[in-house]
Amino acid sequence: MQKPDVLFSEEQIRTRIREIGSQVGAEFEGRELAVIGLMKSCLVFMADIIRSIPLDLSCHTLRVQSVREEGEGTSRTEIAYSATIPYEGRDILLLDDIVDTGITLNFLLDHIKEKKPRSLKVCALIDKPGERKIDVHPDWSAFTLDAAPADRFLVGYGLDHAESYRGLPYIGTVPRSAPAAEGRKITLAPGN
């Protein structure tokens, strides 16, 4: 597995998470917050951010997927997994790993707004405003990349390339041509 180039260090991430947690806490002071995270890439981000928000909150997860329409060459976004989430009348904080085109985020915002929450805010780990196709913006983002390298994948801190690199404590990049790791290999001592 190729070692990623560090883009945002563990300390930079920790600092931004504390800052955002404090800001979210001030925004929703005295209210109970429902935090909804997108699986799987934002799970590490979600674990850290909920510990940094000084409020009583509940946690929920969603999984979305793009479904390609046969013969039409188009795709649509749909919810692939969702437990029962009590949206109505609640303050909702939606966590997303990367906001780039805005298509998925726009779909989710429309879906949640139909359920009549009291408020709905978005926090992204990484915002890439230069890649927007739909005009949506997170209320908070840990990091903004105005010009992300087109020839590299973002990995680490929950972000993956072919299910590898999620466990790195920092956010890095690997070349798009990098072969995906086949998993961890364990070598046992003779006799085991």
Side-chain angles (χ1 to χ4, degrees), residues 8 96-99 124-128 143 145 154 159 171:
F8 300 111
D96 199 348
D97 56 345
I98 300 173
V99 177
L125 176 59
I126 297 175
D127 186 17
K128 295 166 128 184
F143 303 102
L145 292 176
L154 293 171
L159 305 175
I171 297 170

Side-chain angles (χ1 to χ4, degrees), residues 7 128 131 145-154 173-174 176:
L7 185 61
K128 295 166 128 184
E131 296 185 21
L145 292 176
D146 292 317
D151 61 338
R152 300 187 68 84
F153 284 110
L154 293 171
T173 65
V174 294
R176 286 195 179 269

Side-chain angles (χ1 to χ4, degrees), residues 67-83:
V67 178
R68 191 164 269 308
E69 301 289 333
E70 288 187 39
E72 296 179 29
T74 61
S75 64
R76 62 182 160 78
T77 305
E78 67 179 30
I79 293 176
Y81 166 81
S82 173

Side-chain angles (χ1 to χ4, degrees):
M1 178 162 50
Q2 181 171 354
K3 183 170 173 40
D5 296 330
V6 176
L7 185 61
F8 300 111
S9 71
E10 189 174 359
E11 183 55 38
Q12 287 175 298
I13 295 169
R14 196 172 19 255
T15 299
R16 284 298 296 140
I17 296 299
R18 279 193 302 263
E19 291 169 357
I20 292 170
S22 177
Q23 293 167 4
V24 170
E27 176 88 14
F28 293 100
E29 187 175 356
R31 292 151 49 186
E32 183 182 340
L33 186 62
V35 178
I36 301 169
L38 294 182
M39 297 186 339
K40 305 182 217 177
S41 291
C42 87
L43 292 178
V44 175
F45 177 46
M46 183 177 187
D48 286 348
I49 202 86
I50 63 173
R51 289 186 298 228
S52 74
I53 299 172
L55 300 174
D56 186 23
L57 50 82
S58 61
C59 297
H60 311 273
T61 56
L62 279 176
R63 187 169 188 176
V64 294
Q65 65 185 11
S66 265
V67 178
R68 191 164 269 308
E69 301 289 333
E70 288 187 39
E72 296 179 29
T74 61
S75 64
R76 62 182 160 78
T77 305
E78 67 179 30
I79 293 176
Y81 166 81
S82 173
T84 303
I85 300 173
Y87 293 107
E88 190 170 345
R90 304 278 306 274
D91 293 304
I92 305 293
L93 177 64
L94 178 63
L95 300 179
D96 199 348
D97 56 345
I98 300 173
V99 177
D100 45 25
T101 64
I103 293 169
T104 300
L105 180 56
N106 188 63
F107 168 81
L108 286 168
L109 292 173
D110 287 347
H111 170 77
I112 295 170
K113 286 175 184 174
E114 288 176 3
K115 313 282 188 203
K116 299 180 177 31
R118 178 185 337 184
S119 68
L120 174 57
K121 300 283 186 177
V122 176
C123 181
L125 176 59
I126 297 175
D127 186 17
K128 295 166 128 184
E131 296 185 21
R132 286 296 190 284
K133 293 182 179 177
I134 296 178
D135 189 28
V136 293
H137 306 278
D139 298 281
W140 296 276
S141 59
F143 303 102
T144 299
L145 292 176
D146 292 317
D151 61 338
R152 300 187 68 84
F153 284 110
L154 293 171
V155 297
Y157 197 68
L159 305 175
D160 75 298
H161 170 52
E163 294 299 325
S164 294
Y165 302 102
R166 286 192 197 276
L168 296 173
Y170 59 87
I171 297 170
T173 65
V174 294
R176 286 195 179 269
S177 60
E182 293 184 25
R184 294 187 177 139
K185 294 187 170 133
I186 299 172
T187 304
L188 298 175
N192 286 343

